Amino acid sequence: MNRRHLLLSSAALSSLALSAHAANPTAPVVNKPEVLKGAENTARAQPPLPYAQSALAPVIGSTTVGLHYGKHHKKYFEELAKLLPAATLETDSLESIVRAATPGPIANNAGQAWNHNFYWRSIAPKSGGKPPQAVRVALEESFGSVDAFNKEFTKTASEHFGSGWAWLCKNQQNGKLVVVGTHDAASPLTMASLKPLLVVDVWEHAYYKDYSNEREKYVTAVVDKLLNWRFVEANLAT
């Protein structure tokens, strides 16, 4: 397996996180610094989109965003509200719930709620193109070039079997960037060594109305025109 590319299920992520914690009891599994802040990381309510519903067109159409954000994403918050006490929703961040949850409905719904929050900020209108210098240098150090990263990321996202997510992460142990694929609601949040920097959703509801079953066309268009490099830059800096 390419050292820069991991494909992990929810169970595998939990197992790896617990193994790392068992080997080093001080390893931060639950109490890692949180990636999203404020309304983007609350469990009590779905945050607003950071742009208009039609702003991602023509790469991602308004109808797709409306269904994706207004139906699928919203449903995870609604289900989470049924599963957790009101006090927990008010006091606990979404990330802390994801990291503490054992496999099951809470982990699934909290994970999907957070993954979507992160996805909407990983893409932005009139984006893509050349990354800022700090991001470009980090990509070159880890992948050889920005083009090499684009190819590896696109391949991972396009060839991912079934539903899931393609991530760019920073390995906190060695400082290198890695491409990670996860299934279903899984994410790198539960890995002690990985910090997510951006994600692309490869569940069919993210692209099917615009691209039918041609996932690679969707991923290529997102990488070329929507990747929010400023969001990556901010995540690298914290």
Side-chain angles (χ1 to χ4, degrees), residues 24-198:
N24 178 9
T26 64
V29 174
V30 174
N31 296 318
K32 289 168 61 177
E34 298 197 336
V35 181
L36 293 177
K37 309 295 182 186
E40 299 172 1
N41 194 23
T42 180
R44 65 179 178 272
Q46 180 187 25
L49 278 172
Y51 32 73
Q53 182 175 306
S54 61
L56 302 177
V59 179
I60 303 175
S62 178
T63 299
T64 293
V65 175
L67 289 171
H68 194 173
Y69 173 80
K71 298 291 185 181
H72 294 277
H73 189 190
K74 181 181 179 182
K75 185 68 173 178
Y76 297 122
F77 279 94
E78 291 173 344
E79 291 301 312
L80 196 59
K82 299 174 185 177
L83 293 166
L84 290 173
T88 299
L89 294 170
E90 286 293 328
T91 60
D92 291 12
S93 71
L94 190 54
E95 287 187 30
S96 67
I97 294 170
V98 172
R99 291 189 172 115
T102 56
I106 292 175
N108 290 339
N109 285 282
Q112 283 292 80
W114 190 92
N115 289 358
H116 281 86
N117 286 1
F118 200 72
Y119 168 65
W120 296 123
R121 284 146 188 84
S122 294
I123 56 178
K126 300 178 182 178
S127 297
K130 295 180 180 179
Q133 182 177 357
V135 179
R136 176 181 59 78
V137 169
L139 291 172
E140 289 174 348
E141 289 177 349
S142 298
F143 299 94
S145 68
V146 174
D147 284 345
F149 159 73
N150 287 346
K151 289 177 182 178
E152 183 170 332
F153 188 86
T154 299
K155 179 179 174 65
T156 297
S158 300
E159 296 181 0
H160 181 87
F161 186 78
S163 301
W165 306 83
W167 307 80
L168 174 65
C169 299
K170 181 179 180 180
N171 185 322
Q172 302 281 52
Q173 293 179 340
N174 61 20
K176 295 293 186 181
L177 306 189
V178 293
V179 172
V180 177
T182 63
H183 285 289
D184 301 324
S187 84
L189 280 182
T190 55
M191 284 294 296
S193 63
L194 293 183
K195 177 181 180 179
L197 303 177
L198 72 81

